[in-house]
């Protein structure tokens, strides 16, 4: 009986060290009221946005440089429900770099219009904007180059 207890202890220790990610949602309801939550918005929500904060840095205060980067070159990821593995890869790239980003799922006609104004047609996801620079489709090298050019660090700098 000691083996299951030992195994459980090891699993608990391993999971305690795993990287966590936090997600917040912002949406507008039918009456035009803006909501923020850690729960996904209802299907009737308009202008739904998802913001992910990754890694152990999710609970810490961002540095001045990070705040300035997110103000000057905000990162927005455009996805759709039909986008599965490749969108997971896209989120993973941003999460590994510790980049805070807004995720917009192309659900409503308003979301699609916003997408088309930036990227044109047809809709191809995932797509990314870094500041005013758009990139359609997922290309790790191209996405990293875009993020590097904006000044985002390649790796997470240590925090005090």
């Amino acid at each position: 009986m000691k083996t299951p207890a030992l195994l459980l202890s090891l699993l608990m220790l391993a999971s305690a060290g795993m990287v966590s990610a936090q997600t917040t949602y912002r949406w507008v309801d039918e009456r035009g009221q803006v909501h923020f939550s850690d729960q996904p918005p209802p299907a009737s929500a308009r202008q739904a946005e998802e913001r992910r904060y990754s890694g152990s840095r999710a609970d810490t205060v961002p540095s001045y440089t990070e705040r300035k980067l997110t103000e000057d070159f905000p990162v927005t990821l455009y996805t759709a429900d039909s986008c599965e593995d490749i969108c997971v890869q896209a989120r993973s790239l941003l999460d590994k770099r510790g980049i805070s980003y807004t995720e917009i799922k192309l659900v409503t006609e308003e979301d699609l219009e916003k997408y088309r104004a930036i990227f044109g047609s047809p809709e191809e996801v995932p797509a990314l904007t870094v500041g005013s620079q758009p990139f359609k489709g997922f290309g790790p090298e191209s996405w990293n180059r875009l993020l590097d050019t904006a000044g985002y660090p390649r790796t997470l700098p240590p925090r005090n």
Side-chain angles (χ1 to χ4, degrees):
M1 281 296 190
K2 285 188 175 187
T3 304
L6 179 61
L7 183 59
L8 181 61
S9 297
L10 288 172
L11 286 172
M12 288 174 60
L13 281 172
S15 66
M18 288 182 173
V19 174
S20 66
Q22 294 180 353
T23 304
T24 58
Y25 301 89
R26 178 194 178 279
W27 74 92
V28 179
D29 66 19
E30 307 83 37
R31 294 175 285 153
Q33 187 173 3
V34 177
H35 298 270
F36 293 91
S37 175
D38 61 348
Q39 299 298 311
S44 62
R46 298 179 296 149
Q47 298 175 351
E49 294 179 7
E50 184 175 335
R51 169 122 4 207
R52 291 175 177 260
Y53 301 92
S54 65
S56 60
R57 300 160 56 91
D59 295 327
T60 59
V61 176
S63 69
Y64 171 77
T65 304
E66 289 171 285
R67 286 193 315 268
K68 189 73 174 134
L69 277 169
T70 24
E71 286 173 17
D72 295 346
F73 303 101
V75 176
T76 304
L77 173 64
Y78 293 84
T79 63
D81 288 336
S82 61
C83 175
E84 295 173 358
D85 292 340
I86 197 157
C87 282
V88 169
Q89 293 174 35
R91 286 184 202 99
S92 178
L93 183 144
L94 296 172
D95 290 342
K96 283 179 184 172
R97 287 189 65 156
I99 294 172
S100 295
Y101 59 94
T102 299
E103 181 171 349
I104 298 178
K105 287 191 178 184
L106 303 179
V107 177
T108 66
E109 189 58 39
E110 191 173 344
D111 297 334
L112 289 167
E113 286 174 19
K114 189 186 299 186
Y115 177 94
R116 290 176 191 133
I118 297 168
F119 299 100
S121 243
E123 293 77 29
E124 181 183 343
V125 290
L128 182 76
T129 58
V130 179
S132 62
Q133 295 297 309
F135 193 87
K136 210 175 189 182
F138 179 63
E141 298 82 18
S142 300
W143 280 30
N144 278 317
R145 196 172 325 117
L146 238 142
L147 294 163
D148 292 345
T149 302
Y152 282 96
R154 274 271 176 172
T155 56
L156 301 172
R159 287 209 176 146
N160 297 334

